[in-house]
Amino acid sequence: MDLTGYLTSDEAAERLGINRQSLYNLANRSPDFPKPKKIGRTSLWPEEELDAWRERHPKRQTKK
């Protein structure tokens, strides 16, 4: 099975600049968030879909 272009949960969370729990929360609550591919108990996230989602949902700016 070719898993090129997929990220582990830790990698996906780091790529989006969030923690792993937030990644799972988004997957469960946001209808347009990419769904992971399950390999056994491991969730693998499609890298291109995560990048496209991030483009549609820019990171919130924190107030100083």
Side-chain angles (χ1 to χ4, degrees):
M1 179 180 293
D2 181 18
L3 299 176
T4 304
Y6 284 87
L7 303 172
T8 65
S9 295
D10 287 336
E11 292 168 337
E14 184 176 333
R15 187 174 193 95
L16 295 175
I18 58 177
N19 63 40
R20 191 167 56 180
Q21 186 59 54
S22 295
L23 180 75
Y24 290 120
N25 289 345
L26 281 167
N28 289 325
R29 298 179 185 153
S30 180
D32 71 333
F33 194 78
K35 300 299 181 225
K37 178 182 278 194
K38 296 292 260 183
I39 306 295
R41 292 175 45 196
T42 303
S43 295
L44 295 174
W45 305 82
E47 190 172 5
E48 286 183 8
E49 290 180 37
L50 289 175
D51 290 344
W53 182 88
R54 173 51 80 205
E55 283 186 32
R56 293 191 309 272
H57 301 275
K59 203 170 182 181
R60 290 189 184 123
Q61 299 299 316
T62 55
K63 293 180 181 166
K64 294 187 179 197

